[in-house]
Each structure stands twice: as C-alpha cells, then as structure tokens.
Coordinates of all heavy atoms in Angstrom, one line a residue:
Y26 N 22.8 15.6 -12.9 CA 21.6 16.1 -12.1 C 20.3 15.9 -12.8 O 19.3 15.5 -12.1 CB 21.8 17.6 -11.9 CG 23.0 17.9 -10.9 CD1 24.1 18.5 -11.4 CD2 22.9 17.7 -9.6 CE1 25.2 18.8 -10.6 CE2 23.9 18.0 -8.7 CZ 25.1 18.5 -9.2 OH 26.1 18.8 -8.4
F27 N 20.3 16.0 -14.1 CA 19.0 15.8 -14.8 C 18.6 14.3 -14.7 O 17.4 14.0 -14.5 CB 19.3 16.1 -16.3 CG 18.0 16.0 -17.1 CD1 17.0 16.8 -17.0 CD2 18.0 14.9 -18.0 CE1 15.8 16.6 -17.8 CE2 16.8 14.7 -18.8 CZ 15.8 15.6 -18.7
I28 N 19.6 13.4 -14.7 CA 19.3 11.9 -14.6 C 18.7 11.7 -13.2 O 17.8 10.9 -13.0 CB 20.5 11.1 -14.9 CG1 20.9 11.2 -16.3 CG2 20.3 9.6 -14.5 CD1 22.2 10.5 -16.7
Y29 N 19.3 12.3 -12.2 CA 18.9 12.1 -10.8 C 17.4 12.6 -10.6 O 16.6 12.0 -9.9 CB 19.8 12.8 -9.8 CG 21.2 12.1 -9.7 CD1 22.3 12.9 -9.5 CD2 21.3 10.7 -9.9 CE1 23.6 12.3 -9.4 CE2 22.6 10.1 -9.8 CZ 23.7 10.9 -9.6 OH 24.9 10.3 -9.5
I30 N 17.2 13.7 -11.3 CA 15.8 14.3 -11.2 C 14.8 13.4 -11.8 O 13.7 13.1 -11.3 CB 15.8 15.7 -11.9 CG1 16.6 16.7 -11.0 CG2 14.3 16.2 -12.0 CD1 16.7 18.0 -11.7
L31 N 15.2 12.8 -13.0 CA 14.3 11.9 -13.6 C 14.1 10.6 -12.8 O 12.9 10.1 -12.7 CB 14.8 11.5 -15.0 CG 14.8 12.6 -16.1 CD1 15.4 12.1 -17.4 CD2 13.4 13.1 -16.3
M32 N 15.1 10.1 -12.2 CA 15.0 9.0 -11.3 C 14.1 9.3 -10.1 O 13.3 8.4 -9.7 CB 16.4 8.5 -10.9 CG 17.3 7.9 -12.0 SD 18.9 7.5 -11.4 CE 18.5 6.3 -10.2
G33 N 14.3 10.4 -9.6 CA 13.4 10.8 -8.4 C 12.0 10.9 -8.8 O 11.1 10.4 -8.1
I34 N 11.7 11.5 -10.0 CA 10.3 11.6 -10.5 C 9.8 10.2 -10.7 O 8.6 9.9 -10.4 CB 10.3 12.4 -11.7 CG1 10.6 13.9 -11.4 CG2 8.9 12.4 -12.3 CD1 10.7 14.8 -12.6
G35 N 10.6 9.3 -11.3 CA 10.2 7.9 -11.5 C 9.8 7.2 -10.3 O 8.8 6.5 -10.2
V36 N 10.7 7.3 -9.2 CA 10.4 6.7 -7.9 C 9.1 7.2 -7.3 O 8.3 6.5 -6.8 CB 11.6 6.9 -7.0 CG1 11.3 6.4 -5.6 CG2 12.9 6.1 -7.5
Y37 N 9.0 8.5 -7.4 CA 7.7 9.1 -6.8 C 6.5 8.6 -7.5 O 5.5 8.2 -6.9 CB 7.8 10.7 -7.0 CG 6.5 11.4 -6.6 CD1 6.2 11.6 -5.2 CD2 5.6 11.8 -7.5 CE1 5.1 12.2 -4.9 CE2 4.5 12.4 -7.2 CZ 4.2 12.7 -5.9 OH 3.0 13.3 -5.5
I38 N 6.6 8.6 -8.9 CA 5.4 8.0 -9.6 C 5.2 6.6 -9.3 O 4.0 6.1 -9.1 CB 5.6 8.2 -11.1 CG1 5.6 9.7 -11.5 CG2 4.6 7.5 -11.9 CD1 6.0 10.0 -12.9
F39 N 6.3 5.8 -9.1 CA 6.1 4.4 -8.8 C 5.4 4.2 -7.5 O 4.4 3.4 -7.4 CB 7.5 3.7 -8.8 CG 7.4 2.3 -8.4 CD1 7.0 1.3 -9.4 CD2 7.8 1.9 -7.2 CE1 7.0 0.0 -9.0 CE2 7.7 0.5 -6.8 CZ 7.3 -0.4 -7.8
F40 N 5.8 4.9 -6.4 CA 5.2 4.7 -5.1 C 3.8 5.4 -5.0 O 2.9 4.9 -4.4 CB 6.1 5.2 -4.0 CG 7.3 4.3 -3.7 CD1 8.5 4.5 -4.3 CD2 7.1 3.3 -2.9 CE1 9.6 3.7 -4.0 CE2 8.1 2.4 -2.5 CZ 9.4 2.6 -3.1
K41 N 3.7 6.5 -5.7 CA 2.5 7.3 -5.6 C 1.3 6.6 -6.4 O 0.2 6.5 -5.9 CB 2.7 8.7 -6.2 CG 1.4 9.5 -6.3 CD 0.9 9.9 -4.9 CE -0.2 10.9 -5.0 NZ -0.8 11.3 -3.7
Y42 N 1.6 6.1 -7.6 CA 0.5 5.6 -8.4 C 0.5 4.1 -8.7 O -0.5 3.6 -9.1 CB 0.5 6.3 -9.8 CG 0.3 7.8 -9.6 CD1 1.4 8.7 -9.8 CD2 -0.9 8.3 -9.4 CE1 1.2 10.1 -9.7 CE2 -1.1 9.7 -9.2 CZ 0.0 10.6 -9.4 OH -0.2 11.9 -9.3
I43 N 1.7 3.5 -8.4 CA 1.7 2.0 -8.7 C 1.6 1.3 -7.3 O 0.6 0.5 -7.1 CB 3.1 1.6 -9.4 CG1 3.2 2.4 -10.7 CG2 3.1 0.1 -9.6 CD1 2.1 2.2 -11.7
V44 N 2.5 1.5 -6.4 CA 2.4 0.8 -5.1 C 1.1 1.2 -4.3 O 0.4 0.4 -3.8 CB 3.7 1.1 -4.3 CG1 3.5 0.5 -2.9 CG2 4.9 0.6 -5.0
R45 N 0.9 2.5 -4.3 CA -0.3 3.0 -3.6 C -1.6 2.8 -4.4 O -2.7 3.1 -3.9 CB -0.2 4.4 -3.2 CG 0.9 4.7 -2.2 CD 1.0 6.1 -1.8 NE -0.3 6.5 -1.1 CZ -0.5 7.8 -0.7 NH1 0.4 8.7 -0.9 NH2 -1.7 8.1 -0.1
G46 N -1.5 2.3 -5.6 CA -2.7 2.0 -6.4 C -3.4 0.7 -5.9 O -4.5 0.4 -6.3
F47 N -2.7 -0.1 -5.2 CA -3.3 -1.4 -4.7 C -4.0 -1.1 -3.3 O -3.5 -0.3 -2.5 CB -2.2 -2.4 -4.4 CG -1.6 -3.0 -5.7 CD1 -0.4 -2.4 -6.2 CD2 -2.2 -4.0 -6.4 CE1 0.2 -2.9 -7.3 CE2 -1.6 -4.5 -7.5 CZ -0.5 -3.9 -8.0
Y48 N -5.1 -1.7 -3.2 CA -5.9 -1.5 -2.0 C -6.7 -2.7 -1.7 O -6.9 -3.6 -2.5 CB -6.9 -0.3 -2.1 CG -7.9 -0.5 -3.2 CD1 -9.2 -1.0 -2.8 CD2 -7.7 -0.2 -4.5 CE1 -10.2 -1.2 -3.8 CE2 -8.7 -0.4 -5.5 CZ -9.9 -0.9 -5.1 OH -10.8 -1.1 -6.1
I49 N -7.2 -2.8 -0.4 CA -8.0 -4.0 0.0 C -9.3 -3.4 0.6 O -9.3 -2.3 1.1 CB -7.3 -4.9 1.0 CG1 -6.9 -4.1 2.3 CG2 -6.1 -5.5 0.3 CD1 -6.3 -5.0 3.3
V50 N -10.3 -4.2 0.7 CA -11.6 -3.9 1.3 C -11.8 -4.9 2.4 O -11.8 -6.1 2.2 CB -12.7 -4.0 0.3 CG1 -14.1 -3.6 1.0 CG2 -12.5 -3.0 -0.9
N51 N -12.0 -4.3 3.7 CA -12.1 -5.2 4.8 C -13.5 -5.8 4.8 O -14.4 -5.5 4.1 CB -11.9 -4.4 6.1 CG -10.5 -3.9 6.3 OD1 -9.6 -4.6 5.9 ND2 -10.3 -2.7 6.8
Q52 N -13.7 -6.8 5.8 CA -14.9 -7.5 5.8 C -16.2 -6.7 6.2 O -17.2 -6.9 5.7 CB -14.8 -8.6 6.9 CG -13.9 -9.8 6.5 CD -14.3 -10.5 5.3 OE1 -15.5 -10.8 5.1 NE2 -13.4 -10.9 4.4
N53 N -16.0 -5.7 7.0 CA -17.1 -4.8 7.3 C -17.2 -3.6 6.5 O -17.8 -2.6 6.9 CB -17.0 -4.4 8.8 CG -15.8 -3.5 9.1 OD1 -14.8 -3.6 8.3 ND2 -15.8 -2.8 10.1
E54 N -16.6 -3.6 5.3 CA -16.6 -2.5 4.4 C -17.1 -2.8 3.0 O -17.1 -4.0 2.6 CB -15.1 -1.9 4.2 CG -14.5 -1.3 5.5 CD -13.1 -0.8 5.2 OE1 -12.5 -1.3 4.3 OE2 -12.7 0.1 5.9
R55 N -17.6 -1.8 2.3 CA -17.9 -1.9 0.9 C -17.3 -0.7 0.2 O -17.1 0.3 0.9 CB -19.4 -1.9 0.7 CG -20.2 -3.1 1.4 CD -19.8 -4.4 0.7 NE -20.6 -5.5 1.3 CZ -20.2 -6.2 2.4 NH1 -19.1 -5.9 3.0 NH2 -21.0 -7.2 2.8
A56 N -17.0 -0.8 -1.0 CA -16.3 0.3 -1.7 C -17.0 0.5 -3.1 O -17.6 -0.3 -3.7 CB -14.9 -0.1 -1.9
V57 N -16.8 1.8 -3.5 CA -17.3 2.2 -4.8 C -16.2 3.0 -5.5 O -15.5 3.8 -4.9 CB -18.5 3.2 -4.7 CG1 -18.9 3.7 -6.1 CG2 -19.7 2.4 -4.1
K58 N -16.0 2.6 -6.8 CA -14.9 3.2 -7.5 C -15.4 4.3 -8.5 O -16.4 4.0 -9.2 CB -14.1 2.2 -8.3 CG -12.9 2.7 -9.1 CD -12.2 1.6 -9.9 CE -11.7 0.5 -9.1 NZ -11.0 -0.6 -9.9
T59 N -14.7 5.4 -8.6 CA -15.1 6.4 -9.6 C -14.0 6.6 -10.6 O -12.8 6.4 -10.3 CB -15.3 7.8 -8.9 OG1 -14.1 8.2 -8.3 CG2 -16.4 7.7 -7.9
V60 N -14.4 6.9 -11.8 CA -13.5 7.1 -13.0 C -13.7 8.6 -13.4 O -14.8 8.9 -13.9 CB -13.7 6.2 -14.1 CG1 -12.8 6.4 -15.3 CG2 -13.6 4.7 -13.6
F61 N -12.7 9.4 -13.2 CA -12.8 10.9 -13.5 C -14.0 11.5 -12.7 O -14.7 12.3 -13.3 CB -12.9 11.1 -15.0 CG -11.6 10.8 -15.7 CD1 -11.6 9.7 -16.6 CD2 -10.4 11.4 -15.5 CE1 -10.5 9.3 -17.3 CE2 -9.3 11.1 -16.2 CZ -9.3 10.0 -17.1
G62 N -14.2 11.0 -11.5 CA -15.2 11.6 -10.7 C -16.6 11.0 -10.8 O -17.5 11.3 -10.1
K63 N -16.8 10.1 -11.8 CA -18.1 9.4 -12.0 C -18.1 8.0 -11.5 O -17.2 7.2 -11.8 CB -18.4 9.5 -13.5 CG -19.8 8.9 -13.8 CD -20.2 9.0 -15.3 CE -21.6 8.5 -15.6 NZ -21.9 8.6 -17.0

C-alpha cells in the first residue's frame, strides 16, 4: 500500500507540475511570468 501511495503521489506530481508546466501563448496574447509572486 505504501508503494502504491508513493506511485500515486509521483503520478500526481508528474501531471500537476511537469505536464501542466508546459504552456503556449496565442497570437493575440502576451504573457508575464512571476517567480514567487514577483
């Protein structure tokens, strides 16, 4: 059970912060990035 929990946490982190970390900016858009809110 402990291994399954760790695997679940790893999958969540992968999709939450790795896969969803990629983004695009459309032609009619501009973007600004903040680091720790700045």
